[in-house]
C-alpha cells in the first residue's frame, strides 16, 4: 500500500517531463524518492526524474514498488489540477493507481512493468563544462534557433556560453557571459544537438527555474532542470548529432 | 496472483525464443547474407550507405535477419513495426532524429558512430504505412531518406512493389524467396530436440507443407501441436490444418454432395470474396447437376449474381450475405438428389478467359473511345448504337467510303483489322487513307478559314502557292499547314465530292 500526497504542479511537471520522450514508463516508489527513467524510442535521449521524499506532504511507502504507468494518461489528468491544489496518489493493488484531487478520484489502470522497455543505467559521462542559468533564457534561445534550423551548437569557453544556430541564410548566436550565468567553470566544450528534442525539453521549465548544463566535446549533454519550485528534478541526457561530413 | 497465471505469462512464443541471435543462425540464401554483411561492413568502416529494402513473403526471416545483423555487429537496434502507431510524426522522430543523432542504448550507454557503434533502424511492414489513416507517412519517409541518414536503416516490406518507385529507388533492394521445405524441417528438428519433443521427420514435413513455406507459421503450428508433449504423430497435424485454398474444393463438395447448411459458414471462412466464389460455383455447377437440377441451380445462382450486382452498384455490402447464402446453400438445396460418384472440381475458367481476351477488350475500348469522342456519344451508346453500324460499313462498303469513315474516326490499321476481321481489307482501307491523305480535321474554326481560302484560290494551284507566299505573317501559320493539306485535298476534290473526312456528305 502506497499513499502519497504532493502538490499538483509536481505531478504535472514530472509527467510532462516523461511525456516528452515516452508514452509508458516505470515509476519506482522508493523509500526516499519517487524515481523514473527511460530512453526514448529512437534511442537518442534519456529522461531521469526524481522527486525526493521531502517534496511530498505525505509519503507512505510500506514496501518499495515498481509500477508501469501510461504517462500520457496521467499527464492528461494532471492538466486539470488547479494550481496549488494537492493531489493524492494511492496504490492499493498492482493493477490500479488512484489519483485524487479536489472532489475527483481517477482510477488509472496500470501496465505490467515487464511489458515496458527495460530501464537504462545512468551513463558515466565525462563532461568538462558546467553551466548554470535561468531556464527561461535557455527557452528563449531554443525557440529562436528552432525558427531557422533543425540543429544547434552548444559551445563554451572562457568568454562564456554560446548557443548557435545556422539556417540557409540567417544565423543566430545566443551568448551569456560569466557574469550573466549563475555558475560557470569556463571549461572548453562544443557539441551539436537536435532542436527537435531540446524544444520538448524546455517545455518542462519556465522562467525562474534553474537549469544546469553539463557539456562535453561531441558528447551527450546533461540538462538538469529544477522544476516545481525545486521540488522535483528532471534530467535529460541527449546524444549529439552526427556531424555532416 | 495465482501461480497458474504466472506460468502462462512467462511462456514465450517459440518464434521469439528461437529467433536467430547471429547471422550464422539465420536461415536465408547465402547471397543475401553476403550482401547484407558487406553492407554492414561498409557502414562499420564509416561509409554512408543507402538503406536496404527487404522484400518477400511473410515468415521467411526478414526481421530476424535484420535483428541478427544488429546483434552480430554489436549495433543498437531500433524497431518500428506496424503495431505501433505510425504517422509521419513518429516516423520523423524515429527515422528523422534517430538516424541523424548518436545513440543512447537501452542499457544507458552512449554509443558513438566514431567508435563504430551504430544504430540499426528497422522499419517493419513499410508497405503498410501509406495505407494508414495518417497519409503522408511515405512522403515523410522519402524526405528523410533523401537527407542521407547517418545511421543504417533497413526497411521491410512484404510487397515492395506496393511502395512508390521513388522510395524504392532510395533503397537497395534485397529480395527474399520462399524457403525450401527441407531447410524449414531442419529448423523444426532443432527446436524439437531443444524442447525435448520426439517427432518423426514425416510429421514435421506435414507441418511445413501445411504452412506453405512460411517458417514463422511452421514454428507457430509446431508449438501449438507439440508444446507440453513428448511426442507428436501425424494424426496431430491434421487437426491443426491451416485454412488454405484447397478448402475451396471442400466447400464445392459440400455444396454439391450434401444438404448440410453449415457450408455457408465454411464458405465465409475462405479467403475468397463472394464475387470469386460465385465463379467457382458457376464453373462446377454443370459438372455436377443435370436436367432440372441444373436449371434450378442456375436460377438460384443468377439470383445470387443479381445481389452481387446490387452490392456493387449501391455499395451496400450487407447484401453480400444474401448473395453468398444463395450461391452456397441455395444451390445446394436446389438438387433433388445427390449424384453419386466423384467429380473433379475445376478452378473457374473465367479469370483465364478474361486474361486471354484482355488485349481484345482493350482494343474495343479504344475504338469505342474514338467513336464516343468524334460522334459525341457515351462509350455505352457508341457500342449500342454506332459500333455495329460502323463495323458493317467498314467491312462492306466501297473502299473510299469505308476509308473516309475510318479517317473520320481516326481508326488505326489495327482497329480496322479488329473491326473487319479481315487483314486484307483493313490494309486496303489503310492504304487508301494514306494515299489520299485522309485525316481528321480537329479544329472546326480552322475549317471555315480553309473554306474561305479555297474560294479565293479556287481552281488554280500555282496561284495558290503564289498566294501563300504573299501571305503576311499573321496568317502564315495557317497557310503552311494548308499548303500540304490543300494540295492533296484539292486533288481529291477534283476527283470526287469528299472534303476532309467529315461524314456530312455521307449522312446527308
Amino acid at each position: 500500500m502506497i499513499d502519497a500526497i504532493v502538490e499538483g504542479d509536481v505531478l504535472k511537471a514530472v509527467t510532462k517531463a516523461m511525456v516528452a520522450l515516452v508514452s509508458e514508463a516505470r515509476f519506482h516508489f522508493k523509500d526516499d524518492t519517487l524515481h523514473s527513467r527511460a530512453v526514448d524510442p529512437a534511442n537518442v535521449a534519456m529522461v531521469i526524474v526524481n522527486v525526493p521524499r521531502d517534496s511530498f506532504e505525505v509519503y507512505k511507502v510500506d514496501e518499495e514498488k515498481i509500477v508501469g504507468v501510461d504517462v500520457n494518461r496521467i499527464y492528461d489528468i494532471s492538466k486539470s489540477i488547479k494550481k496549488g491544489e494537492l493531489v493524492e496518489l494511492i496504490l492499493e493493488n498492482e493493477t490500479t493507481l488512484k489519483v485524487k484531487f479536489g472532489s475527483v478520484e481517477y482510477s488509472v489502470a496500470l501496465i505490467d512493468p515487464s511489458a515496458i522497455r527495460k530501464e537504462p543505467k545512468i551513463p558515466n559521462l565525462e563532461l568538462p563544462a558546467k553551466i548554470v542559468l535561468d531556464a527561461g533564457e535557455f527557452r528563449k534561445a531554443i525557440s529562436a534557433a528552432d525558427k531557422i534550423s533543425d540543429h544547434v551548437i552548444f559551445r563554451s569557453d572562457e568568454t562564456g556560453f554560446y548557443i548557435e544556430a545556422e539556417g540557409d541564410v540567417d544565423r543566430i548566436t545566443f551568448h551569456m557571459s560569466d557574469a550573466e550565468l549563475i555558475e560557470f567553470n569556463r571549461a572548453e566544450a562544443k557539441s551539436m544537438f537536435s532542436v527537435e528534442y531540446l524544444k520538448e525539453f524546455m517545455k518542462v521549465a519556465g522562467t525562474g527555474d534553474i537549469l544546469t548544463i553539463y557539456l562535453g566535446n561531441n558528447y551527450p549533454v546533461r540538462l538538469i532542470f529544477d522544476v516545481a519550485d525545486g521540488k522535483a528534478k528532471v534530467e535529460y541526457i541527449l546524444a549529439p548529432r552526427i556531424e555532416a561530413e | 496472483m495465482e501461480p497458474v497465471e504466472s506460468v502462462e505469462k512467462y511462456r514465450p512464443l517459440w518464434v521469439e525464443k528461437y529467433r536467430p541471435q547471429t547471422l550464422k543462425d539465420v536461415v536465408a540464401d547465402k547471397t543475401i547474407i553476403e550482401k547484407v554483411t558487406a553492407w554492414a561492413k561498409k557502414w562499420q568502416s564509416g561509409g554512408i550507405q543507402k538503406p536496404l529494402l527487404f522484400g518477400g513473403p511473410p515468415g521467411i526471416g526478414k526481421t530476424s535477419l535484420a535483428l541478427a545483423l544488429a546483434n552480430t555487429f554489436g549495433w543498437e537496434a531500433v524497431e518500428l513495426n506496424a503495431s505501433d502507431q505510425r504517422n509521419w510524426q513518429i516516423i520523423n522522430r524515429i527515422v528523422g532524429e534517430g538516424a541523424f543523432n548518436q545513440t543512447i542504448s537501452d542499457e544507458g550507454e552512449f554509443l558513438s558512430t566514431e567508435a563504430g557503434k551504430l544504430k540499426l533502424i528497422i522499419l517493419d511492414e513499410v508497405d503498410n504505412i501509406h495505407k494508414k489513416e495518417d497519409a503522408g507517412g511515405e512522403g515523410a519517409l522519402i524526405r528523410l531518406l533523401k537527407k542521407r541518414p547517418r545511421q543504417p536503416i533497413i526497411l521491410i516490406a512484404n510487397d515492395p512493389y506496393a511502395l512508390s518507385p521513388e522510395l524504392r529507388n532510395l533503397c537497395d533492394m534485397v529480395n527474399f524467396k520462399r524457403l525450401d521445405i527441407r531447410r524449414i524441417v531442419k529448423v523444426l528438428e532443432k527446436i524439437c530436440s531443444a524442447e525435448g519433443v520426439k517427432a518423426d521427420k514425416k510429421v514435421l514435413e506435414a507441418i511445413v507443407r501445411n504452412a506453405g513455406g512460411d517458417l514463422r507459421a511452421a514454428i507457430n503450428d509446431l508449438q501449438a501441436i507439440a508444446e507440453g508433449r513428448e511426442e507428436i504423430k501425424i494424426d496431430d497435424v491434421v487437426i491443426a490444418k491451416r485454412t488454405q485454398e484447397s478448402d475451396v474444393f471442400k466447400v464445392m463438395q459440400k455444396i454439391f454432395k450434401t444438404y448440410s447448411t453449415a457450408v455457408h459458414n465454411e464458405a465465409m471462412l475462405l479467403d475468397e470474396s463472394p464475387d470469386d466464389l460465385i465463379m467457382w460455383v458457376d464453373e462446377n455447377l454443370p459438372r455436377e447437376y443435370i436436367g432440372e437440377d441444373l436449371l434450378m441451380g442456375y436460377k438460384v445462382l443468377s439470383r445470387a449474381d443479381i445481389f452481387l450486382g446490387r452490392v456493387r452498384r449501391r455499395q451496400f455490402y450487407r447484401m453480400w450475405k444474401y448473395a453468398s447464402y444463395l450461391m452456397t446453400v441455395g444451390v445446394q438445396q436446389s438438387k433433388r438428389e445427390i449424384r453419386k460418384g466423384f467429380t473433379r472440381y475445376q478452378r473457374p475458367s473465367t479469370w483465364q478467359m478474361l486474361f486471354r481476351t484482355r488485349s481484345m477488350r482493350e482494343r474495343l475500348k479504344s475504338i469505342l473511345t474514338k467513336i464516343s469522342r468524334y460522334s459525341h456519344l457515351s462509350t455505352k451508346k457508341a457500342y449500342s448504337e454506332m459500333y455495329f453500324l460502323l463495323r458493317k460499313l467498314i467491312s462492306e462498303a466501297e473502299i473510299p467510303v469505308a476509308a473516309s469513315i475510318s479517317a473520320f474516326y481516326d481508326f488505326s490499321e489495327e482497329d480496322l483489322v479488329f473491326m473487319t476481321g479481315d487483314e486484307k481489307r483493313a490494309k486496303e482501307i489503310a492504304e487508301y487513307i494514306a494515299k489520299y491523305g485522309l485525316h481528321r480535321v480537329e479544329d472546326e474554326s480552322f475549317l471555315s478559314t480553309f473554306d474561305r481560302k479555297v474560294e479565293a484560290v479556287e481552281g488554280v494551284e500555282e496561284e495558290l502557292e503564289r498566294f501563300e507566299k504573299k501571305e503576311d505573317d499573321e496568317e502564315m501559320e495557317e497557310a503552311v499547314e494548308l499548303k500540304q493539306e490543300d494540295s492533296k485535298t484539292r486533288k481529291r476534290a477534283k476527283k470526287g465530292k469528299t472534303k476532309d473526312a467529315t461524314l456530312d456528305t455521307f449522312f446527308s
Side-chain angles (χ1 to χ4, degrees), chain B residues 296-508:
Chain B
M296 293 308 288
Y298 266 124
K299 221 169 170 180
V300 177
L301 198 63
S302 63
R303 183 62 55 85
D305 197 35
I306 289 172
F307 275 113
L308 286 184
R310 286 182 188 160
V311 167
R312 210 171 13 239
R313 236 174 303 127
R314 301 180 193 170
Q315 293 293 299
F316 187 64
Y317 284 86
R318 192 176 289 176
M319 284 193 287
W320 259 4
K321 182 141 198 171
Y322 303 118
S324 59
Y325 212 80
L326 281 168
M327 77 179 74
T328 53
V329 179
V331 172
Q332 181 188 50
Q333 301 297 328
S334 64
K335 60 179 173 285
R336 276 171 308 182
E337 58 180 339
I338 296 168
R339 230 178 94 190
K340 294 205 173 56
F342 173 76
T343 316
R344 184 178 294 281
Y345 300 113
Q346 303 282 326
R347 36 175 52 255
S349 54
T350 322
W351 298 319
Q352 285 165 0
M353 199 185 74
L354 284 176
F355 181 75
R356 273 203 309 272
T357 58
R358 203 175 73 183
S359 64
M360 275 165 73
R361 279 180 291 127
E362 271 168 14
R363 173 68 59 201
L364 178 61
K365 211 171 141 199
S366 91
I367 291 172
L368 292 179
T369 315
K370 285 173 184 172
I371 298 175
S372 82
R373 189 157 144 229
Y374 299 134
S375 292
H376 311 284
L377 295 168
S378 69
T379 43
K380 225 178 191 170
K381 268 210 163 155
Y383 188 63
S384 63
E385 291 185 8
M386 289 294 284
Y387 177 70
F388 294 98
L389 175 65
L390 291 175
R391 193 175 71 178
K392 189 153 180 76
L393 284 168
I394 286 178
S395 311
E396 288 170 19
E398 295 154 35
I399 295 285
V401 176
S404 66
I405 294 171
S406 50
F408 175 80
Y409 286 111
D410 206 12
F411 290 144
S412 67
E413 192 174 335
E414 286 82 35
D415 293 341
L416 292 172
V417 171
F418 178 81
M419 287 173 85
T420 58
D422 180 351
E423 279 181 43
K424 235 173 84 192
R425 187 175 165 87
K427 207 170 174 193
E428 270 178 65
I429 296 173
E431 274 169 2
Y432 185 91
I433 294 172
K435 192 173 164 198
Y436 292 100
L438 298 181
H439 68 288
R440 264 204 68 79
V441 179
E442 294 286 351
D443 186 0
E444 304 284 331
S445 62
F446 157 75
L447 203 66
S448 62
T449 338
F450 165 64
D451 282 337
R452 259 192 290 117
K453 297 259 166 60
V454 169
E455 274 162 38
V457 296
E458 187 89 297
V460 195
E461 278 175 48
E462 291 95 316
E463 237 182 67
L464 173 75
E465 266 161 46
R466 253 191 293 125
F467 175 77
E468 277 166 9
K469 273 171 201 157
K470 276 187 251 161
E471 287 282 355
D472 45 43
D473 291 348
E474 216 177 282
E475 286 164 81
M476 201 60 178
E477 215 176 289
E478 286 174 303
V480 173
E481 273 174 45
L482 273 176
K483 196 162 134 193
Q484 304 152 335
E485 289 159 15
D486 261 344
S487 50
K488 281 172 196 156
T489 3
R490 290 290 79 226
K491 271 182 211 155
R492 211 175 70 243
K494 268 182 225 157
K495 243 187 179 178
K497 44 266 138 215
T498 23
K499 270 203 290 184
D500 265 327
T502 57
L503 286 190
D504 298 351
T505 44
F506 180 74
F507 282 114
S508 56

Side-chain angles (χ1 to χ4, degrees), chain B residues 126-154:
Chain B
V126 200
D127 40 352
N128 282 334
I129 51 171
H130 62 294
K131 290 176 202 140
K132 295 253 157 160
E133 290 156 40
D134 285 90
E138 192 170 331
L141 194 55
I142 288 170
R143 269 197 306 285
L144 290 169
L145 294 188
K146 277 189 177 159
K147 286 202 266 175
R148 279 169 56 87
R150 305 285 144 65
Q151 301 270 18
I153 298 178
I154 292 180

Side-chain angles (χ1 to χ4, degrees), chain A residues 6-7 9-11 13-14 32-34 49-57 83 135 204-212 224-234:
Chain A
V6 72
E7 255 178 51
D9 288 349
V10 174
L11 183 67
V14 163
D32 54 345
T33 49
L34 171 62
V49 163
N50 277 308
V51 187
R53 186 187 188 120
D54 297 344
S55 301
F56 290 87
E57 308 293 317
K83 205 166 169 58
V204 301
T207 311
D209 288 333
I210 288 172
L211 166 62
T212 311
I224 304 164
F225 294 93
D226 285 315
V227 295
D229 289 332
K231 288 195 167 145
K233 207 171 239 175
V234 174

Side-chain angles (χ1 to χ4, degrees), chain A residues 20 39 41-44 46 112 117-118 120-121 123 194 196-197 200 219-220 237 239-242 244-245, chain B residues 9-10 48 76 78 93-94 97-110 113-114 119 147 150-151:
Chain A
V39 168
N43 280 41
V44 173
M46 187 193 295
D112 179 357
R117 271 204 335 168
K118 62 176 189 252
K121 281 183 243 144
S194 274
E196 184 70 29
Y197 280 92
E200 293 298 318
Y219 224 63
I237 299 173
R241 296 269 302 188
I242 301 170
E245 298 135 71
Chain B
K9 200 159 104 191
Y10 294 110
I48 290 177
E76 188 75 12
V78 171
R93 245 304 163 79
I94 306 280
E97 295 302 325
F100 294 91
N101 284 302
Q102 304 284 13
T103 310
I104 288 176
S105 76
D106 284 342
E107 305 292 326
E109 272 171 273
F110 170 57
T113 52
E114 284 159 44
K119 166 166 48 193
K147 286 202 266 175
R150 305 285 144 65
Q151 301 270 18

Side-chain angles (χ1 to χ4, degrees), chain A:
Chain A
M1 161 92 182
I2 289 166
D3 189 358
I5 299 178
V6 72
E7 255 178 51
D9 288 349
V10 174
L11 183 67
K12 213 187 287 183
V14 163
T15 46
K16 198 176 186 180
M18 301 297 294
V19 164
L21 291 186
V22 289
S23 55
E24 298 167 351
R26 296 186 211 185
F27 277 83
H28 294 236
F29 285 94
K30 292 188 177 179
D31 279 339
D32 54 345
T33 49
L34 171 62
H35 169 84
S36 176
R37 59 182 193 273
V39 168
D40 88 308
N43 280 41
V44 173
M46 187 193 295
V47 57
I48 305 160
V49 163
N50 277 308
V51 187
R53 186 187 188 120
D54 297 344
S55 301
F56 290 87
E57 308 293 317
V58 175
Y59 191 75
K60 269 199 290 194
V61 174
D62 296 346
E63 190 189 358
E64 293 202 352
K65 197 130 236 157
I66 301 174
V67 295
V69 172
D70 180 340
V71 280
N72 275 323
R73 289 273 289 287
I74 308 271
Y75 176 54
D76 268 350
I77 293 168
S78 71
K79 277 196 263 189
S80 53
I81 303 172
K82 281 194 216 94
K83 205 166 169 58
E85 200 171 16
L86 289 176
V87 55
E88 184 174 12
L89 303 173
I90 305 163
L91 187 75
E92 282 166 342
N93 56 38
E94 310 254 338
T95 53
T96 43
L97 175 72
K98 282 187 188 149
V99 182
K100 277 164 99 171
F101 56 90
S103 43
V104 194
E105 179 182 309
Y106 280 96
S107 287
V108 186
L110 293 172
I111 304 164
D112 179 357
S114 65
I116 300 175
R117 271 204 335 168
K118 62 176 189 252
E119 286 159 323
K121 281 183 243 144
I122 298 169
N124 273 324
L125 301 168
E126 268 177 53
L127 302 166
K130 182 182 182 188
I131 304 119
V132 182
L133 71 164
D134 186 327
E137 293 295 321
F138 180 73
R139 196 181 174 132
K140 267 188 245 163
I142 299 300
S143 312
D146 183 34
K147 296 204 171 69
I148 63 164
S149 180
D150 62 352
H151 56 271
V152 289
I153 293 172
F154 286 5
R155 187 161 66 82
S156 103
D157 56 30
E158 63 263 13
T159 61
F161 174 59
Y162 298 82
I163 296 177
E164 296 162 340
E166 213 163 313
D168 293 331
V169 282
D170 356 67
R171 204 187 141 80
I172 284 180
T173 309
F174 163 90
H175 172 222
M176 279 180 101
S177 67
D178 197 357
E180 292 163 290
L181 293 166
I182 299 170
E183 193 189 326
F184 186 46
N185 67 357
R186 291 167 179 267
E188 269 191 32
K190 185 185 165 192
S191 299
M192 182 162 83
F193 302 98
S194 274
V195 177
E196 184 70 29
Y197 280 92
L198 296 169
K199 209 162 68 179
E200 293 298 318
F201 299 166
M202 72 187 191
K203 285 182 193 159
V204 301
T207 311
D209 288 333
I210 288 172
L211 166 62
T212 311
I213 301 175
Y214 291 95
L215 188 64
N217 285 303
N218 267 333
Y219 224 63
V221 65
R222 287 175 67 192
L223 304 165
I224 304 164
F225 294 93
D226 285 315
V227 295
D229 289 332
K231 288 195 167 145
K233 207 171 239 175
V234 174
E235 175 173 349
Y236 289 110
I237 299 173
L238 176 63
R241 296 269 302 188
I242 301 170
E243 304 256 6
E245 298 135 71

Side-chain angles (χ1 to χ4, degrees), chain B residues 39 66-67 69-70 75-78 118-122 152-154:
Chain B
W39 177 80
L67 289 170
L69 183 75
W75 296 350
E76 188 75 12
V78 171
L118 299 161
K119 166 166 48 193
L120 180 66
I121 297 169
I122 304 168
I153 298 178
I154 292 180

